[in-house]
Amino acid sequence: MFTTSLTHAGDAEDQQQTRAVIEAQLEAFKQGDGPKAFSYATPNIQTMFGDADTFMQMVRDGYDVVYRPASVRFVKFETDGMNALHAVQMIDRQKTLWNVYYVLQKRPDGTWRISSCETEKAETDLI
């Protein structure tokens, strides 16, 4: 979706803003605040799940590492100014390392929202 040659004048600002959205959603998950966590998703994701309760159930069932990470480390960022990709390493409660890929979209009002999140178990084990 992105190439490493993408450059954009607001890269640092975009990186800061998109990271803040991800961190705020993770905090909302931690607090059990479904409506707040749901608010960080794009309108398409909100339409797909319909309501915060359904969204939270999906996250609890399919994305435990995102729902309750033991550790979070942002490792890579790319943007074209309208879309952004964050590669994040997370450790789950069972001490398994995961690669988590967030794609965010810039909304017409200038805010960023999460449009997708994919997880994959890392190929290496924790030391």
Short mmCIF file of all heavy atoms in Angstrom, two decimals, residues 37-74:
data_model
loop_
_atom_site.label_atom_id
_atom_site.label_comp_id
_atom_site.label_asym_id
_atom_site.label_seq_id
_atom_site.Cartn_x
_atom_site.Cartn_y
_atom_site.Cartn_z
N ALA A 37 -13.59 3.74 22.29
CA ALA A 37 -12.75 2.94 21.39
C ALA A 37 -13.35 2.93 19.98
O ALA A 37 -12.63 3.08 18.99
CB ALA A 37 -12.61 1.52 21.92
N PHE A 38 -14.65 2.77 19.89
CA PHE A 38 -15.37 2.73 18.62
C PHE A 38 -15.26 4.06 17.88
O PHE A 38 -15.21 4.10 16.65
CB PHE A 38 -16.83 2.39 18.91
CG PHE A 38 -17.67 2.01 17.72
CD1 PHE A 38 -17.28 1.03 16.84
CD2 PHE A 38 -18.90 2.63 17.52
CE1 PHE A 38 -18.09 0.66 15.77
CE2 PHE A 38 -19.71 2.27 16.45
CZ PHE A 38 -19.30 1.29 15.57
N SER A 39 -15.16 5.16 18.62
CA SER A 39 -15.11 6.49 18.00
C SER A 39 -13.84 6.72 17.19
O SER A 39 -13.80 7.61 16.35
CB SER A 39 -15.25 7.58 19.07
OG SER A 39 -14.05 7.74 19.81
N TYR A 40 -12.81 5.92 17.43
CA TYR A 40 -11.54 6.08 16.71
C TYR A 40 -11.52 5.31 15.39
O TYR A 40 -10.56 5.39 14.64
CB TYR A 40 -10.36 5.66 17.59
CG TYR A 40 -10.21 6.55 18.79
CD1 TYR A 40 -10.49 6.08 20.07
CD2 TYR A 40 -9.81 7.87 18.65
CE1 TYR A 40 -10.36 6.90 21.18
CE2 TYR A 40 -9.70 8.70 19.76
CZ TYR A 40 -9.98 8.21 21.01
OH TYR A 40 -9.86 9.03 22.10
N ALA A 41 -12.59 4.58 15.09
CA ALA A 41 -12.69 3.83 13.84
C ALA A 41 -13.30 4.73 12.76
O ALA A 41 -14.07 5.64 13.05
CB ALA A 41 -13.57 2.59 14.04
N THR A 42 -12.95 4.44 11.51
CA THR A 42 -13.53 5.19 10.39
C THR A 42 -15.03 4.92 10.30
O THR A 42 -15.52 3.90 10.81
CB THR A 42 -12.89 4.77 9.05
OG1 THR A 42 -13.12 3.38 8.84
CG2 THR A 42 -11.41 5.11 8.99
N PRO A 43 -15.76 5.80 9.65
CA PRO A 43 -17.20 5.57 9.46
C PRO A 43 -17.50 4.22 8.78
O PRO A 43 -18.49 3.57 9.13
CB PRO A 43 -17.63 6.75 8.59
CG PRO A 43 -16.69 7.84 8.96
CD PRO A 43 -15.37 7.14 9.17
N ASN A 44 -16.66 3.79 7.86
CA ASN A 44 -16.88 2.49 7.21
C ASN A 44 -16.82 1.35 8.22
O ASN A 44 -17.64 0.43 8.18
CB ASN A 44 -15.86 2.25 6.10
CG ASN A 44 -16.09 3.10 4.88
OD1 ASN A 44 -17.15 3.72 4.73
ND2 ASN A 44 -15.11 3.13 4.00
N ILE A 45 -15.85 1.40 9.13
CA ILE A 45 -15.74 0.37 10.17
C ILE A 45 -16.93 0.46 11.11
O ILE A 45 -17.52 -0.56 11.50
CB ILE A 45 -14.41 0.50 10.95
CG1 ILE A 45 -13.21 0.29 10.02
CG2 ILE A 45 -14.36 -0.46 12.14
CD1 ILE A 45 -13.10 -1.08 9.39
N GLN A 46 -17.33 1.67 11.47
CA GLN A 46 -18.48 1.84 12.35
C GLN A 46 -19.74 1.28 11.71
O GLN A 46 -20.54 0.62 12.38
CB GLN A 46 -18.64 3.32 12.72
CG GLN A 46 -17.53 3.82 13.61
CD GLN A 46 -17.62 5.30 13.90
OE1 GLN A 46 -18.42 6.03 13.31
NE2 GLN A 46 -16.78 5.76 14.82
N THR A 47 -19.92 1.51 10.42
CA THR A 47 -21.09 0.97 9.71
C THR A 47 -21.03 -0.55 9.67
O THR A 47 -22.04 -1.23 9.87
CB THR A 47 -21.15 1.54 8.28
OG1 THR A 47 -21.29 2.97 8.37
CG2 THR A 47 -22.32 0.96 7.50
N MET A 48 -19.83 -1.10 9.44
CA MET A 48 -19.67 -2.55 9.36
C MET A 48 -20.09 -3.24 10.66
O MET A 48 -20.74 -4.28 10.64
CB MET A 48 -18.20 -2.89 9.04
CG MET A 48 -17.96 -4.36 8.81
SD MET A 48 -16.20 -4.83 8.57
CE MET A 48 -15.50 -3.45 7.72
N PHE A 49 -19.73 -2.65 11.80
CA PHE A 49 -20.03 -3.28 13.09
C PHE A 49 -21.32 -2.77 13.73
O PHE A 49 -21.87 -3.44 14.60
CB PHE A 49 -18.84 -3.14 14.04
CG PHE A 49 -17.69 -3.98 13.61
CD1 PHE A 49 -16.64 -3.42 12.90
CD2 PHE A 49 -17.68 -5.34 13.83
CE1 PHE A 49 -15.58 -4.20 12.46
CE2 PHE A 49 -16.63 -6.13 13.39
CZ PHE A 49 -15.58 -5.55 12.70
N GLY A 50 -21.78 -1.61 13.33
CA GLY A 50 -23.08 -1.13 13.77
C GLY A 50 -23.11 -0.41 15.10
O GLY A 50 -23.73 0.63 15.23
N ASP A 51 -22.44 -0.96 16.10
CA ASP A 51 -22.44 -0.32 17.42
C ASP A 51 -21.19 -0.70 18.20
O ASP A 51 -20.48 -1.64 17.84
CB ASP A 51 -23.71 -0.67 18.21
CG ASP A 51 -23.87 -2.15 18.46
OD1 ASP A 51 -22.93 -2.78 19.00
OD2 ASP A 51 -24.94 -2.71 18.13
N ALA A 52 -20.97 0.03 19.27
CA ALA A 52 -19.75 -0.15 20.07
C ALA A 52 -19.69 -1.53 20.71
O ALA A 52 -18.61 -2.12 20.79
CB ALA A 52 -19.65 0.94 21.13
N ASP A 53 -20.82 -2.06 21.15
CA ASP A 53 -20.82 -3.38 21.80
C ASP A 53 -20.37 -4.47 20.85
O ASP A 53 -19.57 -5.34 21.21
CB ASP A 53 -22.19 -3.70 22.38
CG ASP A 53 -22.56 -2.83 23.58
OD1 ASP A 53 -21.63 -2.28 24.22
OD2 ASP A 53 -23.76 -2.71 23.86
N THR A 54 -20.88 -4.45 19.63
CA THR A 54 -20.49 -5.45 18.61
C THR A 54 -19.01 -5.31 18.27
O THR A 54 -18.29 -6.30 18.15
CB THR A 54 -21.37 -5.29 17.35
OG1 THR A 54 -22.74 -5.39 17.73
CG2 THR A 54 -21.03 -6.35 16.31
N PHE A 55 -18.56 -4.07 18.13
CA PHE A 55 -17.15 -3.80 17.85
C PHE A 55 -16.25 -4.34 18.97
O PHE A 55 -15.27 -5.04 18.72
CB PHE A 55 -16.95 -2.29 17.68
CG PHE A 55 -15.53 -1.87 17.47
CD1 PHE A 55 -14.88 -2.08 16.26
CD2 PHE A 55 -14.83 -1.22 18.48
CE1 PHE A 55 -13.57 -1.68 16.06
CE2 PHE A 55 -13.52 -0.81 18.29
CZ PHE A 55 -12.89 -1.04 17.08
N MET A 56 -16.62 -4.05 20.20
CA MET A 56 -15.81 -4.50 21.34
C MET A 56 -15.79 -6.02 21.43
O MET A 56 -14.75 -6.61 21.74
CB MET A 56 -16.33 -3.90 22.64
CG MET A 56 -16.06 -2.42 22.78
SD MET A 56 -14.30 -2.02 22.94
CE MET A 56 -14.05 -2.41 24.66
N GLN A 57 -16.91 -6.67 21.13
CA GLN A 57 -16.94 -8.14 21.16
C GLN A 57 -15.99 -8.71 20.12
O GLN A 57 -15.26 -9.66 20.38
CB GLN A 57 -18.37 -8.66 20.92
CG GLN A 57 -18.50 -10.15 21.15
CD GLN A 57 -18.21 -10.56 22.59
OE1 GLN A 57 -18.75 -9.96 23.51
NE2 GLN A 57 -17.38 -11.55 22.79
N MET A 58 -15.96 -8.10 18.92
CA MET A 58 -15.05 -8.54 17.87
C MET A 58 -13.60 -8.38 18.32
O MET A 58 -12.77 -9.28 18.12
CB MET A 58 -15.31 -7.74 16.59
CG MET A 58 -14.37 -8.04 15.43
SD MET A 58 -12.76 -7.18 15.42
CE MET A 58 -13.22 -5.47 15.41
N VAL A 59 -13.28 -7.26 18.94
CA VAL A 59 -11.90 -7.03 19.39
C VAL A 59 -11.53 -8.03 20.48
O VAL A 59 -10.46 -8.64 20.44
CB VAL A 59 -11.71 -5.57 19.87
CG1 VAL A 59 -10.33 -5.37 20.48
CG2 VAL A 59 -11.93 -4.60 18.72
N ARG A 60 -12.41 -8.23 21.45
CA ARG A 60 -12.14 -9.19 22.53
C ARG A 60 -11.93 -10.60 21.97
O ARG A 60 -11.04 -11.32 22.41
CB ARG A 60 -13.29 -9.21 23.54
CG ARG A 60 -13.23 -8.11 24.56
CD ARG A 60 -14.21 -8.34 25.70
NE ARG A 60 -15.59 -8.40 25.25
CZ ARG A 60 -16.40 -7.35 25.13
NH1 ARG A 60 -15.96 -6.14 25.46
NH2 ARG A 60 -17.64 -7.49 24.72
N ASP A 61 -12.76 -11.00 21.02
CA ASP A 61 -12.70 -12.36 20.48
C ASP A 61 -11.54 -12.59 19.51
O ASP A 61 -10.96 -13.67 19.49
CB ASP A 61 -14.01 -12.71 19.76
CG ASP A 61 -15.18 -12.83 20.71
OD1 ASP A 61 -14.97 -12.87 21.95
OD2 ASP A 61 -16.33 -12.88 20.22
N GLY A 62 -11.21 -11.57 18.71
CA GLY A 62 -10.25 -11.80 17.65
C GLY A 62 -8.93 -11.07 17.75
O GLY A 62 -8.00 -11.36 17.00
N TYR A 63 -8.84 -10.13 18.67
CA TYR A 63 -7.65 -9.28 18.75
C TYR A 63 -7.23 -9.08 20.20
O TYR A 63 -7.04 -7.94 20.66
CB TYR A 63 -7.92 -7.92 18.10
CG TYR A 63 -8.16 -7.98 16.61
CD1 TYR A 63 -9.42 -8.25 16.10
CD2 TYR A 63 -7.12 -7.77 15.72
CE1 TYR A 63 -9.65 -8.32 14.74
CE2 TYR A 63 -7.33 -7.82 14.35
CZ TYR A 63 -8.59 -8.10 13.87
OH TYR A 63 -8.81 -8.16 12.52
N ASP A 64 -7.08 -10.16 20.93
CA ASP A 64 -6.74 -10.05 22.35
C ASP A 64 -5.47 -9.24 22.57
O ASP A 64 -5.39 -8.47 23.52
CB ASP A 64 -6.60 -11.44 22.98
CG ASP A 64 -6.39 -11.33 24.49
OD1 ASP A 64 -7.33 -10.87 25.19
OD2 ASP A 64 -5.28 -11.68 24.96
N VAL A 65 -4.48 -9.40 21.69
CA VAL A 65 -3.23 -8.66 21.87
C VAL A 65 -3.47 -7.15 21.79
O VAL A 65 -2.81 -6.38 22.48
CB VAL A 65 -2.14 -9.10 20.87
CG1 VAL A 65 -2.49 -8.73 19.43
CG2 VAL A 65 -0.79 -8.51 21.25
N VAL A 66 -4.43 -6.72 20.98
CA VAL A 66 -4.76 -5.31 20.86
C VAL A 66 -5.67 -4.88 22.02
O VAL A 66 -5.53 -3.78 22.55
CB VAL A 66 -5.45 -5.03 19.50
CG1 VAL A 66 -5.97 -3.60 19.42
CG2 VAL A 66 -4.49 -5.32 18.35
N TYR A 67 -6.54 -5.77 22.42
CA TYR A 67 -7.48 -5.47 23.50
C TYR A 67 -6.77 -5.29 24.84
O TYR A 67 -7.10 -4.37 25.59
CB TYR A 67 -8.52 -6.59 23.59
CG TYR A 67 -9.60 -6.35 24.60
CD1 TYR A 67 -10.47 -5.27 24.48
CD2 TYR A 67 -9.76 -7.21 25.69
CE1 TYR A 67 -11.48 -5.04 25.41
CE2 TYR A 67 -10.77 -6.99 26.62
CZ TYR A 67 -11.62 -5.91 26.48
OH TYR A 67 -12.61 -5.69 27.40
N ARG A 68 -5.79 -6.14 25.11
CA ARG A 68 -5.07 -6.07 26.39
C ARG A 68 -3.57 -6.34 26.19
O ARG A 68 -3.04 -7.34 26.67
CB ARG A 68 -5.62 -7.09 27.39
CG ARG A 68 -7.01 -6.79 27.90
CD ARG A 68 -6.99 -5.61 28.87
NE ARG A 68 -8.24 -5.48 29.59
CZ ARG A 68 -9.25 -4.73 29.20
NH1 ARG A 68 -9.18 -4.07 28.07
NH2 ARG A 68 -10.35 -4.64 29.92
N PRO A 69 -2.87 -5.46 25.47
CA PRO A 69 -1.43 -5.71 25.28
C PRO A 69 -0.66 -5.55 26.58
O PRO A 69 -0.96 -4.69 27.40
CB PRO A 69 -1.02 -4.64 24.27
CG PRO A 69 -2.00 -3.52 24.50
CD PRO A 69 -3.29 -4.20 24.87
N ALA A 70 0.34 -6.41 26.75
CA ALA A 70 1.23 -6.28 27.90
C ALA A 70 2.31 -5.24 27.61
O ALA A 70 2.85 -4.61 28.51
CB ALA A 70 1.88 -7.63 28.23
N SER A 71 2.62 -5.06 26.31
CA SER A 71 3.66 -4.14 25.90
C SER A 71 3.36 -3.67 24.48
O SER A 71 2.85 -4.44 23.66
CB SER A 71 5.02 -4.84 25.95
OG SER A 71 6.03 -4.00 25.47
N VAL A 72 3.70 -2.40 24.18
CA VAL A 72 3.46 -1.81 22.87
C VAL A 72 4.69 -1.02 22.45
O VAL A 72 5.21 -0.22 23.24
CB VAL A 72 2.24 -0.85 22.90
CG1 VAL A 72 2.04 -0.16 21.56
CG2 VAL A 72 0.98 -1.58 23.35
N ARG A 73 5.14 -1.26 21.21
CA ARG A 73 6.29 -0.50 20.69
C ARG A 73 6.04 -0.15 19.23
O ARG A 73 5.85 -1.04 18.40
CB ARG A 73 7.57 -1.31 20.82
CG ARG A 73 8.83 -0.55 20.40
CD ARG A 73 10.10 -1.29 20.80
NE ARG A 73 10.35 -2.45 20.00
CZ ARG A 73 11.22 -2.50 19.00
NH1 ARG A 73 11.94 -1.44 18.67
NH2 ARG A 73 11.40 -3.62 18.33
N PHE A 74 6.02 1.14 18.93
CA PHE A 74 5.85 1.62 17.56
C PHE A 74 7.19 1.49 16.84
O PHE A 74 8.20 1.99 17.32
CB PHE A 74 5.37 3.07 17.56
CG PHE A 74 3.94 3.20 18.00
CD1 PHE A 74 3.59 3.14 19.35
CD2 PHE A 74 2.93 3.38 17.07
CE1 PHE A 74 2.27 3.25 19.76
CE2 PHE A 74 1.60 3.49 17.47
CZ PHE A 74 1.27 3.42 18.81
#
